[in-house]
Amino acid sequence: MAQRLVLLCVLILFLSNQVNSDDLELNYYGFHGLNSSGSTNLTLNGVAEIESNGMLKLTNDTLRVLGHAFYSSPIRFRNSTNGKAVSFSTAFAFSIHPEYPKLGGHGLAFVISPSKELPGSLPSQYLGILNSTVVGNFSNHIFAVEFDTVQDFEFGDINDNHVGIDINSLVSNASTAAGYYEGSNSSKKELNLKSGDVIQAWIRYDADKNQVTVKLSPSSVQPMTSILTFDVDLSPIFQDYMYVGFSSSTGLLASSHYVLGWTFKMNGDAKSLYLDTLPKFPKFKKKHKGVIVGVSIGAAVLMFVLASGLLGFYIVRKIKNRDVIEAWELDIGPHRFPYKDLKKATRHFRDKEVIGFGGFGKVYKGTLPNSDTQVAVKRISHESRQGLQEFVSEIASIGRLRHRNLVQLLGWCRRRGDLLLVYDFMPNGSLDKYLFENPRAILSWEERFKIVKGVASGLLYLHEGWEQTVIHRDIKAGNVLLDAEMNGRLGDFGLAKLYEHGSNPTTTRVVGTLGYLAPELTRTGKPTPSSDVFALGALLLEVVCGRRPIEPKALPEELILVDWVWDKWRAGAILDVVDPRLGGEFDEFEVVVVLKLGLMCSNNVPKARPTMRQVVRYLEGEVALPEAVASPGAYERSKGGVDGSTGGEFEDYVNSYSYPTSSYFEKASTWSCDDGDVDFEAGSSSSPTSVSGKGGASYPR
């Protein structure tokens, strides 16, 4: 009898934790009475908490955190008879408060998942749902609707204010700009997810139509028209029992994500929320005054790609478990290393030998067998056979590049799912280790100037000095390596192009790093030599200032490096931006040349940037810089868009500022030059075709 009673209790407990989908209905008009552990019906983890006023706060303004809130019991989402997914609907009110008003801090998502903990999930662009290892796997069994305030190019986001339907991945199956319809015949109205306003969302899955619909509104009334519709059968996505709830995350920029109320119903329509009856939002004090100007919101997004670090781009698919050398590989150069030699050189790819991480994989330090030659071995893996031969052929091309300011590719190896690239070892590491946070050593101004001239020379070779134009696509301090003599050498050139051989040829990927991406890339996705010049502009400024292009820990007016430098330039205090760790030991004229050139290269209008040949001539003192410098944010304020079709960009050139008079600038203006004019093409055929800078001076030899 006692044993039967125990079994009965166990059965009751089991059944109580699994909710019958036929009669489930959840109604949270605020979350009053729930404690920080989620009480008995909500499970919270990460930084998620219930505030005293009854709001569910998924994340706060802490960087790189995530928050989850799930209904504690699993719910049956598939019919036990035929295995078909069951209809459901939900409505919830949310509000997003970014740390910086114009910049998002990622977003939140409504999630249906096999787990309420989402183990191994990452913050930043992963929204606390997945991680880089499992993203896209069919075994995830994840359904989510994201409300994203960051445009992440890795996942193909359409903008920084969108709604997306995600299945097993953060690459949305369908997405649209956030908005709503007031009536059946009205046009779509814009809705700013970052505004801090309370927004209501309705999500419905119709199992008969195999259709997901999403609606948004700033009011309590459910619109008649959906902003997003996606036809899909969720039966193979769902398991029998799933958890339902919310996930959110922050990255290097943060937002506080709130849910004020939530209703959910299986096999029926969830009740709409009356926003006036929900917990009232306290008035937030703005931490930062002013408007952040001159930064592409698309560029702000990609910082999260850098911050997430450790992201593996898969370049060659796993092939048979044998080290097979195919016939076409025998004719490929440069040198093909035996796998066993590289394994021995890196001590079996021991973690202690790792000297760096990149978007494409880990980099190991090694010493080749029977030699004292030190090398750097980059280990890359890929899961697609597509483009393998083209990939290795591209390596052959890159292996023939020869320049003193490029990191030399010595050879390669392909085995199983690994592609190994062998480079010259750079004993002094990457430039970013000497510029930011706690540098390993303070570079003198002479060393910095030599480095930027070397990088510019190497980039000119890639653009014009070889038989093909090579666009680097990821110029940044982390990809500038320093040899034994502290010469700057560009590394990782061509890898972005190599990656495309293994990607979907119908998609356009924007490759690069936040703060270095030219604004036109966010529209076209097509890199050009001019987009490399834009990234070089960011590098020039950070070498002088010792600061990253976007510095989240800085004061609001100093957040965007190019804007800060520009403001100081206009105020006549340009030397205030020089890295204080130099202790005032620098050549003032050289510093002004580099800063001025950095501003010119950072112009949002591609035609306004100099070519790499001009950049090198300016740095070498062969040609004088123009006296006038256009605002780097000319495009932001022009009426004609990126191409300046209405002449707006020309107005900015006319109203541009030159460096105010000072003792050293007066000295510079007395020097002569043969060619002091630089022409900028205006965007309108009706506008003058050039503006000439006057009074420039060549750098004395």
Side-chain angles (χ1 to χ4, degrees), residues 400-472:
R400 292 189 284 117
L401 292 170
R402 294 288 188 276
H403 193 276
R404 63 184 179 276
N405 294 111
L406 300 180
V407 179
Q408 181 62 47
L409 177 65
L410 302 177
W412 64 285
C413 175
R414 180 180 69 91
R415 182 177 185 267
R416 299 180 185 172
D418 287 339
L419 180 73
L420 305 172
L421 303 179
V422 184
Y423 294 93
D424 274 338
F425 177 69
M426 298 289 107
N428 284 310
S430 56
L431 177 60
D432 58 346
K433 302 298 190 299
Y434 295 84
L435 294 179
F436 311 127
E437 298 174 0
N438 298 312
R440 62 174 67 175
I442 305 300
L443 295 176
S444 67
W445 173 249
E446 290 76 17
E447 291 173 318
R448 299 184 192 211
F449 195 50
K450 181 176 73 169
I451 289 168
V452 297
K453 288 198 294 183
V455 170
S457 178
L459 192 55
L460 173 61
Y461 173 79
L462 292 179
H463 286 185
E464 300 181 21
W466 197 52
E467 61 194 41
Q468 300 175 12
T469 298
V470 178
I471 301 173
H472 190 287

Side-chain angles (χ1 to χ4, degrees), residues 510-528:
V510 177
V511 181
T513 302
L514 176 70
Y516 302 85
L517 278 174
E520 67 269 18
L521 286 175
T522 65
R523 299 183 307 106
T524 67
K526 297 179 181 179
T528 64

Side-chain angles (χ1 to χ4, degrees), residues 658-679:
S658 62
Y659 187 80
T661 303
S662 66
S663 59
Y664 57 85
F665 193 76
E666 289 171 356
K667 175 183 176 183
S669 65
T670 63
W671 292 327
S672 61
C673 61
D674 295 329
D675 182 10
D677 293 343
V678 176
D679 294 336

Side-chain angles (χ1 to χ4, degrees), residues 581-596:
R581 289 170 294 197
L582 287 172
E585 297 292 326
F586 55 87
D587 185 301
E588 292 180 348
F589 178 64
E590 289 177 354
V591 163
V592 172
V593 167
V594 176
L595 288 172
K596 195 171 186 178

Side-chain angles (χ1 to χ4, degrees), residues 45 66 68 113-122 128-131 134:
N45 63 42
L66 53 81
H68 300 144
S113 163
S115 165
K116 56 187 175 183
E117 287 83 20
L118 296 173
S121 57
L122 294 176
I129 303 173
L130 297 169
N131 60 51
V134 302

